[in-house]
């Protein structure tokens, strides 16, 4: 069982014929198929499988207990995402466990492979939802009330998938089991191709968050309403999109993106009554809220000029994360001194880093592209990553 072979097994699950790539979202059909695949593969390795109150799946090698070494990632995707983001870490963890078993290794500490739910936030809008619920870094009532594009709440989707919505929330007992957490992930940039290395150790994650801008105007007839008589929320929404690029360009190393904009009612010959857009903003250090404040003021000015209103709502936010120094040094030593890389991408490891020693490994992505069908990793690099993870798990559980 190789990591590449495991990825090939799920290569047809959740393909998106419209966007290209894959669309696999929390508790939808493709994601449920992937969860079933993981359980089957874990049971085949004689691991004990359990699903927690928040929809995260745990596969244990040995009895669950304190000071456990945990690895894993997620199986959901962004809309039209690539084949490696999330599944690579899960497949590599399974491959690493099998490699250790074949070598006759037996861990002296509990070892688990975890699949976190709704890491991308592709359905309910909040990233790393499974790990946030586990750690209590999102209010359980807020999580239960999150809605997807069809108006279905997270609580309703969880109930349909067989979970009790009333039990969603912090899980201190389970969190206390984790002694160390290491996540392997495909690189979401091109640092390693420039450095000529197949695997890196992560050192930091840039602060990032998501904000919803809701513009309200007056819906009306596109042909019967004179331009001077309009309060069209699409105009301040469009002005905000351009303001995002302009204002972010003035902040060193800032990344700010509007990737989703939804007009209501959405007719070609209808002036929208409301327009919602979502801002993803990431600035190292403490600069993210300041940039979002500038963007919010620009949005308010554009809305007022058109006779509209805007409301800005923060949906998620995480500060800069620096991964555990001692664990990072150990990872580098065990793997022969690979490069260290920062990232602007969020991960479950970054959520857990506030509670347990956590670290990350990255596998080279020669395209430098992620969250896109062009995301890629060579088979040799995938296997190098799985071997690196096996080495790390062996050292951590001796």
């Amino acid at each position: 069982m190789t990591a590449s072979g495991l990825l090939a097994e799920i290569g047809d699950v959740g393909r998106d014929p419209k966007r290209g790539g894959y669309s696999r979202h929390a508790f939808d059909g493709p994601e449920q198929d992937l969860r079933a695949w993981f359980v089957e593969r874990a049971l085949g390795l004689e691991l004990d499988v359990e699903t927690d109150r928040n929809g995260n799946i745990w596969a244990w090698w040995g009895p669950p207990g304190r000071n456990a070494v945990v690895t894993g990632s997620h199986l959901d995707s962004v809309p039209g995402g690539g084949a490696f983001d999330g599944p690579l870490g899960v497949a590599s963890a399974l491959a690493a466990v099998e490699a250790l078993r074949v070598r006759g290794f037996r861990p002296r500490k509990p070892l688990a492979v975890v699949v976190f739910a709704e890491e991308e936030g592709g359905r309910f809008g909040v990233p790393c939802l499974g790990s946030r619920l586990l750690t209590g870094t999102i209010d359980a009532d807020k999580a239960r009330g999150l809605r997807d594009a069809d108006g279905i709440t997270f609580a309703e989707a969880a109930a349909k998938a067989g979970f009790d919505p009333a039990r969603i929330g912090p899980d201190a007992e389970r969190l206390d089991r984790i002694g160390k957490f290491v996540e392997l992930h495909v690189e979401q940039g091109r640092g390693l191709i420039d450095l000529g290395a197949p695997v890196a150790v992560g050192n930091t994650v840039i602060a990032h968050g998501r904000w919803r801008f809701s513009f309200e105007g007056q819906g009306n007839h596109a042909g019967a309403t004179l331009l001077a008589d309009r309060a069209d929320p699409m105009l301040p929404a469009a002005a905000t999109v351009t303001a995002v690029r302009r204002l972010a360009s003035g902040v060193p190393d800032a990344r700010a993106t509007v990737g989703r904009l939804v007009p209501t009612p959405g007719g070609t010959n209808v002036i929208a009554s409301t327009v919602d857009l979502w801002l993803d903003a990431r600035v190292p250090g403490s600069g993210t809220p300041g940039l979002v404040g500038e963007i919010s003021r620009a949005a308010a000015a554009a809305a007022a000029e058109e006779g509209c209103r805007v409301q800005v709502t923060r949906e998620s936010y995480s500060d800069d994360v620096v991964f555990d120094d001692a664990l990072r040094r150990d990872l580098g030593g065990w793997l022969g001194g690979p490069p260290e890389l920062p990232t602007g991408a969020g991960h479950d490891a970054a959520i857990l880093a506030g509670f347990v020693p956590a670290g990350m490994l990255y596998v080279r992505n020669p395209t430098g592209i992620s969250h896109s069908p062009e995301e890629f990793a060579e088979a040799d690099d995938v296997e190098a990553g799985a071997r690196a993870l096996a080495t790390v798990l062996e050292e951590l559980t001796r």
Side-chain angles (χ1 to χ4, degrees):
M1 180 194 302
T2 65
S4 296
L6 289 166
L7 288 172
E9 290 179 1
I10 59 175
D12 291 328
V13 179
R15 286 192 178 274
D16 191 322
K18 181 179 179 180
R19 301 180 181 96
Y22 298 87
S23 292
R24 304 155 163 171
H25 306 307
F27 305 137
D28 70 3
E31 196 258 4
Q32 292 282 63
D33 290 344
L34 292 178
R35 292 167 70 90
W37 165 83
F38 172 78
V39 170
E40 180 181 1
R41 273 303 191 173
L43 292 174
L45 289 172
E46 300 180 359
L47 304 180
D48 295 322
V49 179
E50 58 180 356
T51 303
D52 69 21
R53 67 183 64 177
N54 298 308
N56 307 311
I57 310 174
W58 304 75
W60 288 92
W61 185 358
R66 295 178 64 87
N67 202 29
V69 174
V70 181
T71 187
S73 194
H74 60 97
L75 291 170
D76 64 303
S77 76
V78 298
F84 298 88
D85 182 354
L88 174 61
V90 175
S92 297
L94 292 171
V97 167
E98 183 178 57
L100 292 174
R101 281 189 175 278
V102 169
R103 294 208 295 262
F105 177 76
R106 291 295 180 265
R108 294 181 179 177
K109 298 176 182 177
L111 174 60
V113 179
V114 63
V115 173
F116 283 111
E118 181 73 336
E119 192 272 350
E120 296 290 4
R123 182 173 182 185
F124 295 101
V126 175
C128 300
L129 188 55
S131 55
R132 289 181 193 272
L133 284 166
L134 168 69
T135 57
T137 49
I138 184 172
D139 179 75
D141 285 335
K142 176 182 177 180
R144 277 187 279 266
L146 293 171
R147 294 183 181 273
D148 66 11
D150 297 319
I152 298 170
T153 66
F154 181 70
E156 290 167 342
K160 185 176 180 180
F163 304 103
D164 180 0
R167 299 187 67 244
I168 291 169
D171 195 341
E173 180 181 357
R174 191 173 299 274
L175 181 62
D176 285 345
R177 292 177 180 174
I178 304 174
K180 290 184 173 64
F181 178 76
V182 178
E183 181 174 2
L184 180 142
H185 205 278
V186 68
E187 184 191 9
Q188 296 178 286
R190 54 170 299 110
L192 284 174
I193 193 67
D194 293 338
L195 294 171
V199 177
V201 174
N203 52 25
T204 59
V205 175
I206 294 173
H208 63 282
R210 297 182 184 184
W211 286 261
R212 178 175 180 167
F213 287 64
S214 298
F215 296 89
E216 183 180 351
Q218 177 60 62
N220 215 327
H221 194 292
T225 310
L226 297 177
L227 297 181
D229 296 335
R230 299 185 180 197
D232 185 350
M234 188 64 77
L235 271 69
T240 300
V241 173
T242 59
V244 166
R245 172 60 69 88
R246 172 173 52 81
L247 294 169
S249 296
V251 179
D253 208 25
R255 303 98 192 266
T257 308
V258 175
R260 181 182 173 206
L261 186 151
V262 179
T264 301
T268 302
N269 60 343
V270 180
I271 300 168
S273 56
T274 63
V275 176
D276 291 324
L277 66 80
W278 284 262
L279 169 69
D280 180 300
R282 310 174 190 230
V283 185
S286 58
T288 305
L291 174 59
V292 174
E294 290 188 54
I295 294 168
S296 298
R297 288 188 287 275
E305 184 177 352
E306 180 64 16
C308 296
R309 295 174 296 279
V310 61
Q311 180 177 347
V312 181
T313 305
R314 189 179 81 176
E315 295 195 336
S316 66
Y317 179 73
S318 298
D319 285 320
D320 271 357
V321 171
V322 178
F323 288 116
D324 185 80
D325 286 338
L327 178 56
R328 193 170 72 243
R329 287 194 298 271
D330 285 341
L331 295 177
W334 295 329
L335 300 179
E340 288 194 5
L341 291 179
T343 183
H347 300 286
D348 291 305
I351 302 298
L352 291 177
F355 301 86
V356 301
M360 288 203 68
L361 302 176
Y362 297 115
V363 171
R364 177 166 52 192
N365 176 353
T367 68
I369 296 171
S370 187
H371 283 187
S372 165
E374 287 86 356
E375 179 182 270
F376 187 64
E378 298 283 357
D380 287 348
D381 289 351
V382 170
E383 301 314 324
R387 289 193 299 272
L389 183 60
T391 297
V392 167
L393 296 179
E394 182 174 4
E395 293 291 343
L396 286 172
T397 57
R398 283 187 182 280

